[in-house]
Amino acid sequence: MQARGRRDGARSEEMFERDNDKLVEEMSAKVTQLKSISLDIGREVRDQNKELMGMGDDFDSAGGLLGSTMKRLGLLSKAGHHNWMCYMMLFILLVFFIIYYLIR
């Protein structure tokens, strides 16, 4: 009877050992997959940061250009050319109406 109990115990231990090995392999595969995903996320974050820095530089240069344009418009309006401002406003309204009718 004791020999049978030992055999059953040895079988149980082997079965548990096989199950543990199987679970370790599955966990190892999942860890490898998570590592790959985290590396991909890191690459994507670096790429997005580079893109955002480039966009920031572009916005800075556009802001500088817009600022200098506004200064020129201010100088033009102070020089007594009020007709130019009226013409510009009419032109802008005309462009908006044309775009509105084209989109409609």
Side-chain angles (χ1 to χ4, degrees):
M1 219 16 136
Q2 287 182 349
R4 183 176 175 187
R6 285 185 205 149
R7 275 187 270 150
D8 288 342
R11 285 184 194 161
S12 295
E13 284 182 34
E14 286 178 20
M15 189 172 72
F16 287 137
E17 193 65 34
R18 274 186 265 134
D19 287 344
N20 283 340
D21 290 341
K22 181 180 169 186
L23 290 173
V24 166
E25 288 175 12
E26 289 174 3
M27 188 177 290
S28 175
K30 288 179 182 180
V31 166
T32 303
Q33 188 177 20
L34 285 174
K35 180 181 176 184
S36 173
I37 290 171
S38 66
L39 290 174
D40 289 342
I41 289 172
R43 273 188 232 111
E44 185 66 27
V45 166
R46 280 191 297 278
D47 291 343
Q48 292 293 327
N49 281 338
K50 286 179 189 176
E51 191 69 31
L52 286 173
M53 285 182 190
M55 286 177 64
D57 294 341
D58 291 343
F59 279 119
D60 287 342
S61 65
L65 181 63
L66 184 60
S68 64
T69 303
M70 291 303 292
K71 285 179 188 176
R72 282 190 229 145
L73 284 174
L75 290 174
L76 184 65
S77 67
K78 287 179 184 177
H81 299 276
H82 296 290
N83 291 339
W84 283 101
M85 191 61 86
C86 291
Y87 291 140
M88 189 182 317
M89 291 302 220
L90 288 173
F91 175 73
I92 290 171
L93 285 173
L94 179 68
V95 169
F96 280 126
F97 281 122
I98 290 172
I99 291 173
Y100 175 74
Y101 283 115
L102 289 176
I103 292 174
R104 235 176 124 204

